[in-house]
Amino acid sequence: QVQLVESGGGLVQAGGSLRLSCAASGRTFSYYAMGWFRQAPGKERDFVAAISWSVGGTTYADSVKGRFTITADNAKNEVYLQMNSLKAEDTAIYYCAARRSYTGPYVPTSFDYWGQGTQVTVSS
């Protein structure tokens, strides 16, 4: 089975930057899309960004558009989330996810595989 492992989270001051990585191990597939979600304490898990190889292109939540960039290294089976101009409201656990086919909008239930999450804390 496919395993996804996130890394790169940590503590950063507002205005700073972090880069999250998601590495796929074990059995791998040609994914339709991979993406990032985040969940703050007491909140629902929300979509952040996704990259699609089948359709092509990237998609971002309005709250991060212009600040975050999702990229992929296909040879390494890794995806990244470059987070710039971080704000306190970006504080959350960030999850890497993947799906093998088009299953509609980028919501948690449309993804097949999940990582364990990595904590991002932005101090103001």
Side-chain angles (χ1 to χ4, degrees):
Q1 187 59 270
V2 173
Q3 292 181 317
L4 303 176
V5 180
E6 303 98 333
S7 62
L11 175 64
V12 65
Q13 292 185 331
S17 299
L18 284 174
R19 191 185 76 155
L20 305 183
S21 299
C22 175
S25 62
R27 185 181 178 187
T28 59
F29 301 92
S30 296
Y31 298 123
Y32 177 88
M34 295 187 70
W36 293 90
F37 291 77
R38 66 186 182 186
Q39 187 168 20
K43 304 293 184 180
E44 297 291 328
R45 188 170 298 187
D46 293 326
F47 170 74
V48 176
I51 184 167
S52 172
W53 291 270
S54 181
V55 176
T58 56
T59 304
Y60 298 93
D62 290 341
S63 59
V64 305
K65 185 118 181 165
R67 299 188 298 120
F68 292 9
T69 303
I70 185 170
T71 57
D73 186 333
N74 294 333
K76 296 181 179 179
N77 293 318
E78 293 183 344
V79 294
Y80 311 96
L81 185 68
Q82 179 66 47
M83 305 185 294
N84 298 325
S85 301
L86 283 163
K87 306 174 181 179
E89 52 262 44
D90 295 318
T91 295
I93 300 175
Y94 284 70
Y95 297 90
C96 176
R99 68 186 190 184
R100 295 180 291 172
S101 62
Y102 177 77
T103 49
Y106 291 133
V107 295
T109 54
S110 71
F111 282 74
D112 303 299
Y113 308 102
W114 291 87
Q116 82 289 348
T118 185
Q119 177 71 48
V120 172
T121 302
V122 183
S123 61
S124 59

